[in-house]
Amino acid sequence: MKLVRYGKQGTERPGLIDGEGQLRDLSHVVPDIGAAQLGHDALAQLAKLNADDLPAVSGKPRLGCPIAHIGKCIGIGLNYIDHAEETGLPIPTEPIIFAKAISSLQGPDDDVVLPQDSTKADWEVELGVVIGTRASYVSQDQALDHVAGYVLANDISERAFQLERGGTWDKGKGCDTFGPLGPWLVTRDEVGDPGNLDLWLDVNGQRMQTGNTSKMIFNVTQIVSYVSRFMTLMPGDVIITGTPPGVGMGLKPAQFLKAGDVMTLGAKGLGTQTQRVVAWGRASQT
């Protein structure tokens, strides 16, 4: 299934995308797409629905973040060897974990706002993993049993804040609007192997990133198992799993986002996103 949340920011309604690409309303079936809807039994009940019996949604409403009330968003840094090499940072021997502020998360096509004093805002297309059932000290063999599905993510990063201002990476990762997710939450059964998904990202129509999740240093099962040893993962939590090469800081000369830029990104089976970059105070979400 492809599950969505649609409508104006703060008043999103639950929905799904049927086999013909039509948005269908789920608000008479479930109150939202959140923790309670992501367990195995709940997803199985949704999968039994006949999409043709659900109201079709006309027009092209805004799509919001596809998971409501996310408890935490965990990032994995430098998880592609060629990305680590382009940044000049050491290749990790264990997953690098950072927190991405919940307040940064938004819909897939909402404006991205450059924060005050931003000089090095950067793009990062990523695979996001959505947790469906509580996970604590899970083995790699059991890791995928705790996954509800996957989302496309853009882990936008202010490199000066992240790398030049001291402390942890979090301050460069958690700025408002720096976490577009969606358009859909695609359930695990529909995605198949998360270790063989093509990823790409364009800036102003120019291809910047091309990659495949097969190139990750730590795969999804390793990541879920590893993170669960340091914190309990709860239904609705999201882990973003790292980015392939082609980020702005890795270019020679480096290139960073400016107001007026447009990012377009996608992943096999997970849909596409488009974000307009705007100056502080100029955002317009609908």
Side-chain angles (χ1 to χ4, degrees):
M1 289 181 293
K2 295 182 175 72
L3 300 173
V4 301
R5 299 174 67 247
Y6 70 95
K8 292 184 178 181
Q9 195 169 42
T11 60
E12 293 91 345
R13 298 161 65 94
L16 63 77
I17 306 297
D18 69 18
E20 304 301 319
Q22 172 66 52
L23 173 58
R24 301 277 180 170
D25 182 71
L26 276 176
S27 59
H28 294 294
V29 180
V30 293
D32 212 334
I33 305 298
Q37 289 74 45
L38 299 180
H40 301 309
D41 292 344
L43 289 176
Q45 290 300 312
L46 289 177
K48 292 178 181 178
L49 295 173
N50 183 347
D52 293 339
D53 294 336
L54 300 171
V57 179
S58 60
K60 294 183 178 180
R62 169 188 173 270
L63 295 181
C65 178
I67 309 105
H69 309 302
I70 294 171
K72 54 183 173 289
C73 182
I74 301 300
I76 306 298
L78 302 178
N79 197 28
Y80 289 71
I81 291 176
D82 36 12
H83 170 56
E85 290 174 341
E86 73 176 347
T87 64
L89 296 171
I91 294 171
T93 56
E94 293 189 39
I96 295 172
I97 296 175
F98 62 88
K100 196 164 181 81
I102 300 306
S103 53
S104 74
L105 305 181
Q106 64 172 17
D109 301 323
D110 293 340
D111 292 346
V112 167
V113 182
L114 297 175
Q116 294 182 20
D117 303 319
S118 173
T119 58
K120 297 181 179 180
D122 206 346
W123 54 84
E124 292 191 17
V125 60
E126 305 200 9
L127 169 67
V129 179
V130 181
I131 300 300
T133 58
R134 185 180 185 275
S136 179
Y137 293 99
V138 299
S139 68
Q140 291 185 34
D141 290 343
Q142 297 173 327
L144 291 186
D145 293 339
H146 296 269
V147 173
Y150 304 94
V151 293
L152 177 65
N154 192 354
D155 177 25
I156 299 160
S157 309
E158 215 305 331
R159 303 300 189 189
F161 297 178
Q162 177 189 359
L163 300 173
E164 300 171 17
R165 299 286 295 271
T168 66
W169 287 6
D170 301 12
K171 66 179 70 172
K173 296 286 191 172
C175 303
D176 291 352
T177 75
F178 271 27
L181 297 179
W184 320 306
L185 187 169
V186 186
T187 51
R188 184 161 57 95
D189 60 304
E190 185 164 332
V191 170
D193 181 10
N196 187 27
L197 300 178
D198 293 325
L199 304 168
W200 58 271
L201 183 144
D202 296 346
V203 178
N204 300 328
Q206 181 178 355
R207 183 60 45 92
M208 295 298 187
Q209 290 186 276
T210 301
N212 186 283
T213 56
S214 64
K215 302 297 185 181
M216 291 196 298
I217 299 170
F218 307 104
N219 63 30
V220 170
T221 57
Q222 292 171 314
I223 289 169
V224 172
S225 175
Y226 184 86
V227 174
S228 79
R229 302 190 66 81
F230 298 93
M231 64 194 77
T232 297
L233 296 169
M234 301 298 293
D237 287 350
V238 176
I239 305 173
I240 54 176
T241 57
T243 197
V247 300
M249 72 177 293
L251 300 176
K252 300 187 185 307
Q255 176 180 330
F256 298 110
L257 295 168
K258 61 186 184 302
D261 287 344
V262 175
M263 292 176 285
T264 308
L265 56 148
K268 180 181 177 182
L270 299 180
T272 61
Q273 302 181 356
T274 301
Q275 295 110 28
R276 180 174 62 114
V277 180
V278 300
W280 176 262
R282 300 287 182 90
S284 176
Q285 319 296 19
T286 57

